[in-house]
Amino acid sequence: MYSTRKVKEDLIYVGASDRRLALFENLFPLTEGVAYNSYVILDEKTVLLDTVDSSVSMQYMENVEHALNGRTLDYLVINHMEPDHCANIEAIVYRYPEVKLVGNAKTFQFFEQFYTLKDSENYHIVKEGEELSIGKRTLKFVMAPMVHWPEVMMTYETSEGILFSADAFGAFGALDGNIFADEYDYRGRTLDEARRYYVNIVGKFGVNVLNVLKKFDNLALNMICPLHGPILREKEDIDLLVGKYVAWASYEPELQSALIIYGSMYGNTENAAHFLANELANQGIRNLKMFDVSKTDASYIISNLWIYSHIVFASPNYNGDLYFKVDNVIREALALSFKNRKISFITNMSWGGKALKTMQELLETGKNIEFIGEPVEIKSSLKQENEASLLALATTIAQSINA
Ligand code: FEO
């Protein structure tokens, strides 16, 4: 049975959600599932924008057929050739053999790499700014290279200012019947999951994101239809998320406050992290956040690295070096171009090690990363003798936050 929703009179949501998949890209936990969005436009020509992941193929094909309501499919626009969106192109071509596939040269290179079907007589290859009239509506194609793959493009519907934005402006999380951002608590869970999606999937490519956003400076954005997560149609939601994208892509913190990321085998490093957090709170710092690297998946921690201006890494020495899970968070963040932050350190050792040196050497490779305060080194457990150095570190961080 079909499961579609009307977006506008002639624009229909035909995507589907998967709550079974544990890890997106086999990497990122999906605690509340994921939506694979796809849209049908019914004009003089019929258009399908992207397909979906193979996990929801059966539902999807029923949705497309229902949305077309007996008409054939004239165009399939392929904004992104990653398998979570392109897994049903072949099925669509077999079902609607006259369909023209709209993409750029790279789109079709990837299509032929991933799949066996070669349908070159039906390729409609577009370039930057090219338009396609489909009746009352016109689609304009905007290239978005490396957001986050090289072939990515976006499709802008010119008469109403509707942007089909590929992965950009997407979010983790299944759609629960509601498909619009204004039908959710967007500023709560959904925005957090939009940030986690952005940082972990697209975060490395901030420069490219800013370059694409500039292309829309003089174009009305009245609706954004991403490939994951809810559709944005209210100006305040669009302005909020576009503003967040500018901040995230510029690697500018959202909050002047401290994020404390710690690893702790027996609770002693955690004790030091809490002592520091309490003192920061005593000194008036609000919105503090702490994560135990062994408890929280790195994707959530790294998402929070994009929020906070000041970061404290607290780690035991483990086999004489950095605790693996702290090491992993730092390396993943740097691989995503983490930059522009003030960093402080706490380490714990029983007999020695180079955890501090390793953290410093790793983070020195990031751009505009400044180490502040004297690193605090505790021996096995927190003692009275550590109090002064932790208080001093808290004061340095608090003064820097308030500067
Ligand atoms: Fe949602 Fe880049 O695929």
Side-chain angles (χ1 to χ4, degrees), residues 24-25 34-36 80-85 147-149 151-152 166-167 197 201-202 227-228:
F24 186 76
E25 295 183 356
V34 65
Y36 304 107
H80 187 18
M81 261 307 297
E82 191 161 6
D84 56 332
H85 308 294
V147 181
H148 61 128
W149 276 29
E151 89 299 350
V152 172
D167 277 335
Y197 183 84
I201 308 297
V202 188
L227 286 175
H228 303 284

Side-chain angles (χ1 to χ4, degrees), residues 51-54 57 78 80-91 94 101 107-119 123 149:
T51 76
V52 295
D53 189 77
S54 57
S57 293
I78 306 166
H80 187 18
M81 261 307 297
E82 191 161 6
D84 56 332
H85 308 294
C86 67
N88 290 273
I89 297 175
E90 285 188 317
Y94 291 135
L101 304 179
T107 310
F108 296 112
Q109 177 197 325
F110 290 176
F111 178 61
E112 291 175 12
Q113 284 174 200
F114 272 111
Y115 302 107
T116 50
L117 180 72
K118 196 163 185 226
D119 193 28
Y123 293 170
W149 276 29

